[in-house]
Amino acid sequence: MANLTLVQAVRDALMTEMALDPTIVLMGEDVGLNGGVFRATEGLQKEFGEERVMDTPLAESGIIGLALGMALNGMRPVPEIQFMDFIYPAFDQIVSEVAKLRYRSGGDFKCPMVIRTPYGGGIKGGHYHSQSTEAYFAHTAGLKVVIPSNPYDTKGLLIAAMRDEDPVLFMEPKRLYRSLKGEVPEEAYTVEIGKAQVVRPGSDVTLIAWGAMVPVCLKAAELCEPRGADCEVIDLRTLVPLDEETILESVRKTGRVVIVHEAQKTCGFGAEISALISEKAILSLEAPIIRVAGLDTPFPYTLEHIYLPDPERVALAVGKVKNF
Amino acid sequence: MTRFFDERGMLLQRQGRIGFYVPSFGQEAIQIGTANALKAGDWVFPSYREPGVFISRGASLFKMLCNLWGNRSDVCKGRQMPNHYSFADLKLFSVSSPISTQVIQAVGASLASKLRKEKDIAITYFGDGGTSENDFHTGLTFAGAMKTPTVFICTNNQFAISVPTSKQTGAARMADKAIGYGMPGIAVDGNDVLAVYKATQEAVDRARNGEGPTLIECVTFRMGPHSSSDDPTRYRDQALYEAWLKRDPIQRFRQYLESKKLWDQKQQDILEKELKATLADAVEKAEAEPAPSIETLFEDVYSEMTPQLLEQKAALEMEQELRGKFENTSEAFPL
């Protein structure tokens, strides 16, 4: 076991799996010599050579299109998009090509790859280094969307993603890259894609979150305890495919739900979860479902701490559903 | 002033007074040479590494500094990272972080000038890395096909963060790319302000005379880091850096002026003192400005607030009343 940060767990997963699978190739902007702008690929080019850790020209659509071609021809590409905010030139390659290839060719072709990208705010990145736009991608059939919230899950989910037969968008909460550490086994292991985790059991209110909002919810749960609400916190870990059973089981128990995400509220993934609960567990509900989300504005710079959900805002929402 | 501004920007970041800074050390001749070849009515579509273009075009130092703090007097109302200026009154287009998006937009603005039978042209700036993005290719493709009055300035500073030009393209020169788009391509010494000025002037004249677009590659070297979060010693050859240090564009121009007896140490001292005093004054005023008010979060999303935004604004105001002050939970930019 090693005590690693989340970004070290990313590197550890890549390192571990690359040693086992010689077809894995990393590519992206600054991932080689510089080890990635967040150092997620630090030292990997030295370890595995320039043919397995490639600095590419500055073109996101190129990076993903290239990865698709390599995936067809026997490689396991793990392209990095430096910031999720820069992914849009590649949107066409991801949603029109990568996500649909298996289906459009009747299963004739597949292109397993893991698109790694740091996402999210709280680091003074303004609107081009802070967004969390998982909903665009969760809305695209054919693509899996995975978002870890701690170092252990990061390694296990990333290795699982690299072994998956389908393309995976692997979103890394950059706010948590260095802000928390956890025990991570040295060997290769997987955490199953499509399984949520109850990270804090509770009986009164269910908090549902992913990525950087999981620690926010855990802190909110602590705030709520002396105020008389026992919160259960669910870390979804995977948005697509969604672990419906873990959500519904918790809702049947608590009857009260607060969904927390940093993306803007309208058409955020919280809306999907809310719809799911009303379709499949409406009779268990004791209060309206509340979404604590980013504002319906672009991401700000100076006032990001007001834009982003924080423990107190979540706790206020818990109070509302508890006292409904 | 550009050099002093950059030095001060980096210092403010290192002192923790602003969050981030993107310096343009070594690229001053390109910014000053190109900007001075323009007329007041021309459109400018900069990247995030052209403070000198803003300063040359008459942008207020105070307003630029307010952008570094993202405060109440920042034109952008504290919504963008530092260095993302916007001055519509000076036709200085709002800077974006995504690379090269402005290239095709400049073509659009210059096409509109052409359709409106105005004589204003558009100039746009991007780096060597920027030439790999789709918007560079579409920009030059459209400009060539439509013969728009556009001048493309490629600041080849030899690095896209850590990636050297040799890994960015197989082309010997960025200027060589122009031929494929049907326009002239010129490579100039980007550390020679007069050479940059002359090349830009010719391209601007061509554009204004209806002869179409030009690509100018200004060859230079990024003397500083990509940004305050970058450490270039990880990937940059120190000897190469030192060789370029001797070609400092400001020193070169000064030596030229002194050799022509147009400038001397005394004049230099007076100018430096004056510039530093002006800058210090603007810094003091900008730093004193408060943060934007909470309601600004909801402004400018649309021309008028939607019902949803009005509801969210009311909810946030209620929350503020309940909580009092919001705790600043931001962490330092981890890049």
PDB file of all heavy atoms in Angstrom, chain B residues 107-119:
ATOM      1  N   VAL B 107     -11.531  36.542 -39.423  1.00  0.00           N
ATOM      2  CA  VAL B 107     -11.884  36.474 -40.846  1.00  0.00           C
ATOM      3  C   VAL B 107     -13.329  36.968 -41.021  1.00  0.00           C
ATOM      4  O   VAL B 107     -13.632  37.733 -41.942  1.00  0.00           O
ATOM      5  CB  VAL B 107     -11.720  35.038 -41.385  1.00  0.00           C
ATOM      6  CG1 VAL B 107     -12.156  34.947 -42.844  1.00  0.00           C
ATOM      7  CG2 VAL B 107     -10.269  34.586 -41.226  1.00  0.00           C
ATOM      8  N   GLY B 108     -14.194  36.562 -40.107  1.00  0.00           N
ATOM      9  CA  GLY B 108     -15.592  37.009 -40.167  1.00  0.00           C
ATOM     10  C   GLY B 108     -15.718  38.515 -40.033  1.00  0.00           C
ATOM     11  O   GLY B 108     -16.460  39.164 -40.783  1.00  0.00           O
ATOM     12  N   ALA B 109     -14.975  39.081 -39.071  1.00  0.00           N
ATOM     13  CA  ALA B 109     -15.039  40.534 -38.871  1.00  0.00           C
ATOM     14  C   ALA B 109     -14.529  41.269 -40.105  1.00  0.00           C
ATOM     15  O   ALA B 109     -15.101  42.278 -40.530  1.00  0.00           O
ATOM     16  CB  ALA B 109     -14.224  40.926 -37.642  1.00  0.00           C
ATOM     17  N   SER B 110     -13.458  40.741 -40.701  1.00  0.00           N
ATOM     18  CA  SER B 110     -12.900  41.430 -41.872  1.00  0.00           C
ATOM     19  C   SER B 110     -13.805  41.235 -43.090  1.00  0.00           C
ATOM     20  O   SER B 110     -13.915  42.119 -43.941  1.00  0.00           O
ATOM     21  CB  SER B 110     -11.477  40.953 -42.160  1.00  0.00           C
ATOM     22  OG  SER B 110     -11.451  39.577 -42.435  1.00  0.00           O
ATOM     23  N   LEU B 111     -14.483  40.107 -43.155  1.00  0.00           N
ATOM     24  CA  LEU B 111     -15.449  39.895 -44.252  1.00  0.00           C
ATOM     25  C   LEU B 111     -16.587  40.915 -44.134  1.00  0.00           C
ATOM     26  O   LEU B 111     -17.030  41.487 -45.134  1.00  0.00           O
ATOM     27  CB  LEU B 111     -15.997  38.467 -44.210  1.00  0.00           C
ATOM     28  CG  LEU B 111     -17.082  38.146 -45.254  1.00  0.00           C
ATOM     29  CD1 LEU B 111     -16.528  38.266 -46.677  1.00  0.00           C
ATOM     30  CD2 LEU B 111     -17.661  36.751 -45.032  1.00  0.00           C
ATOM     31  N   ALA B 112     -17.023  41.145 -42.888  1.00  0.00           N
ATOM     32  CA  ALA B 112     -18.090  42.128 -42.679  1.00  0.00           C
ATOM     33  C   ALA B 112     -17.634  43.517 -43.131  1.00  0.00           C
ATOM     34  O   ALA B 112     -18.396  44.250 -43.768  1.00  0.00           O
ATOM     35  CB  ALA B 112     -18.498  42.149 -41.205  1.00  0.00           C
ATOM     36  N   SER B 113     -16.386  43.881 -42.837  1.00  0.00           N
ATOM     37  CA  SER B 113     -15.848  45.169 -43.315  1.00  0.00           C
ATOM     38  C   SER B 113     -15.918  45.240 -44.836  1.00  0.00           C
ATOM     39  O   SER B 113     -16.309  46.250 -45.412  1.00  0.00           O
ATOM     40  CB  SER B 113     -14.384  45.332 -42.897  1.00  0.00           C
ATOM     41  OG  SER B 113     -14.286  45.563 -41.532  1.00  0.00           O
ATOM     42  N   LYS B 114     -15.539  44.125 -45.449  1.00  0.00           N
ATOM     43  CA  LYS B 114     -15.531  44.080 -46.913  1.00  0.00           C
ATOM     44  C   LYS B 114     -16.956  44.247 -47.450  1.00  0.00           C
ATOM     45  O   LYS B 114     -17.198  45.041 -48.366  1.00  0.00           O
ATOM     46  CB  LYS B 114     -14.936  42.740 -47.359  1.00  0.00           C
ATOM     47  CG  LYS B 114     -14.672  42.625 -48.846  1.00  0.00           C
ATOM     48  CD  LYS B 114     -14.028  41.266 -49.159  1.00  0.00           C
ATOM     49  CE  LYS B 114     -14.147  40.933 -50.636  1.00  0.00           C
ATOM     50  NZ  LYS B 114     -13.566  39.613 -50.940  1.00  0.00           N
ATOM     51  N   LEU B 115     -17.913  43.518 -46.854  1.00  0.00           N
ATOM     52  CA  LEU B 115     -19.300  43.577 -47.328  1.00  0.00           C
ATOM     53  C   LEU B 115     -19.902  44.964 -47.095  1.00  0.00           C
ATOM     54  O   LEU B 115     -20.720  45.431 -47.878  1.00  0.00           O
ATOM     55  CB  LEU B 115     -20.148  42.513 -46.612  1.00  0.00           C
ATOM     56  CG  LEU B 115     -19.763  41.060 -46.871  1.00  0.00           C
ATOM     57  CD1 LEU B 115     -20.641  40.122 -46.051  1.00  0.00           C
ATOM     58  CD2 LEU B 115     -19.854  40.713 -48.359  1.00  0.00           C
ATOM     59  N   ARG B 116     -19.476  45.580 -46.005  1.00  0.00           N
ATOM     60  CA  ARG B 116     -19.995  46.920 -45.689  1.00  0.00           C
ATOM     61  C   ARG B 116     -19.217  48.014 -46.409  1.00  0.00           C
ATOM     62  O   ARG B 116     -19.436  49.193 -46.159  1.00  0.00           O
ATOM     63  CB  ARG B 116     -19.935  47.132 -44.173  1.00  0.00           C
ATOM     64  CG  ARG B 116     -20.930  46.254 -43.422  1.00  0.00           C
ATOM     65  CD  ARG B 116     -20.615  46.166 -41.940  1.00  0.00           C
ATOM     66  NE  ARG B 116     -20.523  47.498 -41.361  1.00  0.00           N
ATOM     67  CZ  ARG B 116     -20.942  47.820 -40.155  1.00  0.00           C
ATOM     68  NH1 ARG B 116     -21.483  46.883 -39.386  1.00  0.00           N
ATOM     69  NH2 ARG B 116     -20.819  49.028 -39.702  1.00  0.00           N
ATOM     70  N   LYS B 117     -18.281  47.580 -47.246  1.00  0.00           N
ATOM     71  CA  LYS B 117     -17.460  48.491 -48.043  1.00  0.00           C
ATOM     72  C   LYS B 117     -16.711  49.500 -47.161  1.00  0.00           C
ATOM     73  O   LYS B 117     -16.564  50.669 -47.493  1.00  0.00           O
ATOM     74  CB  LYS B 117     -18.314  49.214 -49.099  1.00  0.00           C
ATOM     75  CG  LYS B 117     -19.150  48.248 -49.953  1.00  0.00           C
ATOM     76  CD  LYS B 117     -19.327  48.719 -51.359  1.00  0.00           C
ATOM     77  CE  LYS B 117     -20.229  47.811 -52.182  1.00  0.00           C
ATOM     78  NZ  LYS B 117     -19.866  46.363 -52.115  1.00  0.00           N
ATOM     79  N   GLU B 118     -16.257  48.985 -45.993  1.00  0.00           N
ATOM     80  CA  GLU B 118     -15.418  49.813 -45.131  1.00  0.00           C
ATOM     81  C   GLU B 118     -13.963  49.438 -45.370  1.00  0.00           C
ATOM     82  O   GLU B 118     -13.676  48.369 -45.892  1.00  0.00           O
ATOM     83  CB  GLU B 118     -15.803  49.572 -43.660  1.00  0.00           C
ATOM     84  CG  GLU B 118     -17.133  50.221 -43.318  1.00  0.00           C
ATOM     85  CD  GLU B 118     -17.679  49.789 -41.965  1.00  0.00           C
ATOM     86  OE1 GLU B 118     -17.093  48.877 -41.353  1.00  0.00           O
ATOM     87  OE2 GLU B 118     -18.699  50.359 -41.559  1.00  0.00           O
ATOM     88  N   LYS B 119     -13.083  50.303 -44.953  1.00  0.00           N
ATOM     89  CA  LYS B 119     -11.658  50.071 -45.230  1.00  0.00           C
ATOM     90  C   LYS B 119     -10.936  49.414 -44.044  1.00  0.00           C
ATOM     91  O   LYS B 119      -9.737  49.191 -44.094  1.00  0.00           O
ATOM     92  CB  LYS B 119     -10.984  51.399 -45.595  1.00  0.00           C
ATOM     93  CG  LYS B 119     -11.253  51.838 -47.037  1.00  0.00           C
ATOM     94  CD  LYS B 119     -10.450  50.942 -47.994  1.00  0.00           C
ATOM     95  CE  LYS B 119     -10.860  51.190 -49.443  1.00  0.00           C
ATOM     96  NZ  LYS B 119     -10.318  50.125 -50.333  1.00  0.00           N
TER      97      LYS B 119
END
